[in-house]
């Protein structure tokens, strides 16, 4: 009966001082790990095979000679105490008529305990009782279950993350407080964490008990690199006697530096005409663990000797859920004329000196199936700002500006998707009797980040809009080939030194984005109707994890 006493013990890891013993039973032989007294390990090994009444006949050197006896068969299975779980013995290997194997029973009990955990009974206890009959040939199995009280899920715990900020993971998973386990959508939790872009891999969530005995949803993750360097270079071919030129921008992103999903980024840009730009952004999505997030930003740009522009802003957001956020913003903008901008045109400077305060309200929505390469879903960014100028050299003025960026993703055929989008900036300006509109009131756009097929920052307007259509052939979670069409228009009033303009814009081309060993590489070739086939704009980008 010694083998029977080992049935309730779990398999132990090899301990210090163990050695290998050869077990002989007639012509059969196998190896087990055991101490100087091998009886328990040898009998345990036999019990695993269903020989419950086996005995050790003798020991010689490193060999144990045994008699197995008859192999046991499961005669009956009874489960006592199950109420919260239907059919707890469903799909067990331990069934009447099957050979009895201890490891099969251990796996069956573990699977049932996992089912209990999924419905909130993570502390459920399953105690097996084995009754051996018919000279060791039959086993009656009784499993007594103490289900315990159902516990709510208190939060999300990330296994494998550097930080242990449960608040961030819990809010990104969409759990606002203690939640019944039956109401937790495991796939939605996994998708919410994946959408952050902070994790290279997000595994299957499981319910578990934390160090304090509370029920949590434990999610295995592999963190993405804590930073990324993104550089985009463009080549502008010779045009109108001007030589070809290389333009570009670089950006460094730091992700989750102190846990909690916090981010920081620095961007530098160099465009034609001795123009440059700098931007710095930092953000905390859940300030002090609340649904409120805060972001601070600074941006500065200069264009040869025409003007310099600066903007400092703060955003306060409220997350209704991980995909929807309402934003309030406060920003200060200033324009300073350069040497050329201060020149007089018609008795007024080309660019006037202005300080402005803007209040805004916006909305951010991101509901897509995959964060880096969506095939289905929608994203929307909308910001409406109202500005009042604290200083204007030529009379008071007020400005209202609406900025929109939207994308709609829909699958077509296998591994293909259609992307439709809208980018727009619409400005309304009320001016006093002495106020004029000048270049400082206008925005520049064009190039890789807006109208592809046109030079970087070569278009100047008060308002513009772009409709985007891309057709993508998807390769993997990050890579795809695409063709695109950009169609839109701009509106520009007459300003000192620049004529009024209202016209349509069209850009088209193709590109490839592919994950390489170095990073995510992108190449785009873009044209507009005024360019020949060999005069297209080439942009090459590379995003490298740090």
């Amino acid at each position: 009966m010694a083998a029977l006493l080992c049935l309730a013990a779990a398999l132990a890891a090899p301990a210090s001082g163990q050695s290998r013993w050869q077990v002989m039973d007639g012509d059969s032989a196998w190896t087990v790990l055991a101490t100087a007294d091998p009886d328990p390990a040898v009998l345990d090994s036999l019990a695993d095979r269903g020989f419950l009444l086996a005995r050790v006949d003798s020991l010689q050197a490193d060999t144990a000679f045994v008699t197995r006896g008859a192999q046991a068969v499961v005669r009956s299975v009874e489960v006592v105490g199950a109420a919260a779980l239907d059919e707890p013995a469903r799909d067990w290997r331990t069934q009447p008529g099957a050979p009895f194997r201890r490891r099969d029973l251990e796996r069956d009990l573990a699977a049932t305990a996992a089912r209990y955990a999924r419905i909130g009974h993570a502390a459920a206890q399953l105690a097996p009782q084995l009754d051996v009959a018919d000279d060791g040939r039959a086993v009656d199995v009784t499993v007594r279950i103490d289900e315990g009280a159902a516990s709510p899920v208190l939060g999300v715990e990330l296994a494998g993350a550097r930080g242990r900020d449960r608040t961030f993971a819990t809010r990104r998973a969409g759990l606002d407080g203690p939640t019944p386990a039956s109401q937790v959508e495991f796939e939605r939790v996994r998708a919410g964490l994946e959408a952050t872009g902070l994790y290279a891999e997000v595994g299957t969530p499981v319910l578990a008990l934390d160090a304090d005995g509370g029920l949590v949803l434990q999610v295995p993750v592999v963190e993405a690199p804590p930073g990324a360097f993104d550089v985009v270079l463009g080549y502008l071919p010779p045009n109108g006697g001007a030589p070809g030129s290389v333009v570009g921008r670089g950006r460094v992103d730091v992700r989750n530096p102190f846990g909690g999903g916090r981010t920081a980024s620095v961007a530098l840009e160099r465009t034609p005409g001795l123009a440059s730009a700098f931007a710095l952004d930092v953000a905390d999505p859940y300030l002090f663990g609340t649904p409120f997030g805060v972001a601070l930003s600074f941006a500065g740009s200069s264009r040869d000797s025409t003007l310099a522009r600066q903007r400092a802003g703060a955003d306060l957001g409220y997350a209704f859920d991980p995909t929807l956020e309402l934003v309030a913003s406060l920003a200060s903008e200033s324009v300073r004329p350069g040497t050329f901008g201060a020149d007089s045109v018609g008795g007024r400077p080309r660019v006037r000196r202005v300080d402005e305060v803007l209040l805004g309200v916006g909305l951010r929505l991101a509901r897509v199936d995959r964060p880096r390469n969506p095939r289905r879903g929608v994203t929307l960014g909308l910001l409406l700002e109202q500005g009042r100028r604290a200083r204007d050299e030529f009379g008071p003025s007020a400005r209202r500006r609406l900025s929109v960026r939207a994308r709609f993703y829909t699958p077509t055929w296998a591994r293909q998707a259609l992307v439709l989008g809208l980018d727009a900036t619409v400005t309304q300006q009320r001016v006093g009797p002495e106020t004029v509109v000048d270049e400082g009131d206008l925005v520049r756009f064009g190039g890789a980040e807006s109208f592809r097929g046109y030079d970087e920052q070569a278009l100047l307007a008060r308002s513009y809009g772009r409709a985007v259509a891309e057709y993508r052939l998807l390769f993997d979670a990050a890579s795809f080939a695409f063709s695109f069409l950009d169609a839109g228009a701009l509106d520009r009033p007459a300003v000192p030194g620049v004529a009024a303009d209202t016209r349509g814009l069209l850009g088209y081309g193709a590109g490839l984005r592919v994950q390489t060993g170095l990073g995510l590489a992108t190449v785009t070739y873009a044209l507009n109707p005024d360019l020949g086939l060999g005069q297209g704009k080439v942009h090459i980008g590379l995003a490298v994890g740090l």
Side-chain angles (χ1 to χ4, degrees):
M1 296 296 291
L4 185 57
L5 298 178
C6 299
L7 290 175
L11 291 176
S16 176
Q18 287 184 333
S19 58
R20 295 183 180 276
W21 285 78
Q22 189 81 358
V23 181
M24 301 292 298
D25 175 41
D27 295 331
S28 300
W30 63 94
T31 302
V32 298
L33 292 173
T35 61
D37 180 8
D39 285 19
V42 170
L43 295 176
D44 202 27
S45 173
L46 287 162
D48 281 343
R49 293 164 169 78
F51 300 100
L52 305 183
L53 300 183
R55 67 176 185 272
V56 176
D57 294 325
S58 62
L59 301 174
Q60 189 175 29
D62 59 353
T63 303
F65 296 91
V66 302
T67 299
R68 288 183 296 181
Q71 187 178 31
V73 174
V74 179
R75 188 168 66 177
S76 66
V77 176
E78 182 181 7
V79 178
V80 179
L85 191 65
D86 293 333
E87 301 181 46
R90 184 184 65 197
D91 300 327
W92 279 15
R93 295 184 180 182
T94 306
Q95 296 288 349
F100 177 83
R101 296 185 177 89
R102 190 195 67 179
R103 290 187 179 180
D104 285 350
L105 180 59
E106 290 174 347
R107 293 189 186 100
D108 295 338
L109 297 179
T112 301
R115 289 177 61 197
Y116 269 109
R118 286 194 291 271
I119 62 173
H121 293 265
Q125 300 292 321
L126 287 77
Q129 176 182 325
L130 308 176
D131 296 316
V132 180
D134 196 14
D135 296 329
R137 292 181 175 83
V139 178
D140 296 315
V141 180
T142 302
V143 178
R144 300 188 182 278
I145 299 178
D146 179 6
E147 296 178 334
S151 303
V153 179
L154 301 180
V156 175
E157 189 175 86
L158 301 180
R162 289 185 293 269
R164 289 291 183 180
D165 193 330
R166 184 187 293 181
T167 301
F168 169 73
T170 300
R171 290 200 176 277
R172 287 300 307 181
L175 302 180
D176 296 328
T179 306
S182 59
Q183 297 180 16
V184 177
E185 299 179 30
F186 285 25
E187 180 55 30
R188 183 179 176 183
V189 170
R190 193 199 64 78
L193 292 171
E194 188 177 62
T196 65
L198 301 176
Y199 310 105
E201 296 179 17
V202 180
T204 302
V206 295
L207 288 169
L209 296 177
D210 65 8
D212 298 324
L215 184 64
V216 296
L217 194 60
Q218 195 173 76
V219 185
V221 298
V222 176
E223 289 196 289
F229 175 67
D230 187 350
V231 60
V232 176
L233 298 177
Y235 174 72
L236 307 182
N239 186 22
S245 60
V246 175
V247 298
R249 63 175 175 82
R251 179 185 179 96
V252 176
D253 292 304
V254 180
R255 299 175 293 212
N256 210 26
F258 308 108
R262 300 173 184 90
T263 59
S265 67
V266 177
L268 296 171
E269 184 173 2
R270 180 71 173 173
T271 53
L274 300 178
S276 60
F278 168 81
L280 171 66
D281 299 274
V282 294
D284 185 340
Y286 300 112
L287 190 63
F288 303 121
T290 69
F292 291 95
V294 64
L296 304 176
S297 62
F298 174 83
S301 64
S302 64
R303 186 163 188 85
D304 49 59
S305 58
T306 302
L307 61 84
R309 187 192 308 273
Q310 291 185 350
R311 175 185 171 105
D315 293 348
L316 180 66
Y318 180 82
F320 292 98
D321 62 43
T323 66
L324 179 62
E325 183 180 20
L326 180 66
V327 179
S329 67
L330 173 65
S332 172
E333 288 190 2
S334 64
V335 177
R336 299 291 183 265
T339 304
F340 177 71
D343 288 348
S344 178
V345 178
R348 296 183 183 276
R350 191 180 299 271
V351 176
R352 68 194 187 281
R353 183 184 180 96
V354 170
D355 291 314
E356 184 176 19
V357 176
L358 299 104
L359 295 175
V361 62
L363 192 70
R364 298 183 187 132
L365 175 69
R367 293 177 178 169
V368 294
D369 57 349
R370 295 180 296 186
R372 293 198 297 170
N373 191 2
R375 191 165 180 249
R376 185 189 304 275
V378 61
T379 63
L380 172 66
L382 184 149
L383 179 64
L384 176 63
E385 293 181 294
Q386 177 75 46
R388 183 71 182 178
R389 290 188 170 170
R391 174 168 55 183
D392 190 328
E393 294 178 318
F394 293 94
S397 65
R399 185 167 56 142
R400 180 182 294 116
R401 181 170 59 205
L402 175 66
S403 301
V404 179
R405 178 179 174 85
R407 293 292 184 271
F408 175 73
Y409 304 87
T410 183
T412 53
W413 289 275
R415 304 183 68 85
Q416 299 175 58
L418 175 65
V419 184
L420 302 175
L422 173 67
D423 298 336
T425 295
V426 179
T427 303
Q428 292 181 335
Q429 190 165 1
R430 299 194 305 273
V431 299
E434 300 297 325
T435 306
V436 295
V437 177
D438 62 34
E439 188 173 338
D441 297 308
L442 308 181
V443 294
R444 286 191 173 272
F445 60 100
E449 297 299 313
S450 53
F451 276 94
R452 295 163 285 189
Y454 294 85
D455 289 349
E456 295 291 329
Q457 305 294 303
L459 302 172
L460 186 65
R462 180 169 57 184
S463 300
Y464 73 91
R466 174 179 72 138
V468 180
E470 281 190 10
Y471 197 84
R472 296 179 177 180
L473 175 61
L474 311 181
F475 301 140
D476 55 36
S479 307
F480 56 87
F482 62 99
S483 59
F484 66 87
L485 177 69
D486 297 338
L490 66 80
D491 171 62
R492 182 179 69 223
V495 300
V498 182
D501 190 11
T502 300
R503 60 187 168 110
L505 300 167
L506 183 67
Y508 46 88
L512 176 68
R513 190 176 81 170
V514 62
Q515 185 71 52
T516 69
L518 185 59
L520 190 61
T522 305
V523 59
T524 304
Y525 189 77
L527 296 159
N528 69 57
D530 297 328
L531 298 177
L533 186 60
Q535 297 178 301
K537 316 299 181 183
V538 179
H539 291 94
I540 298 174
L542 180 64
V544 181
L546 300 178

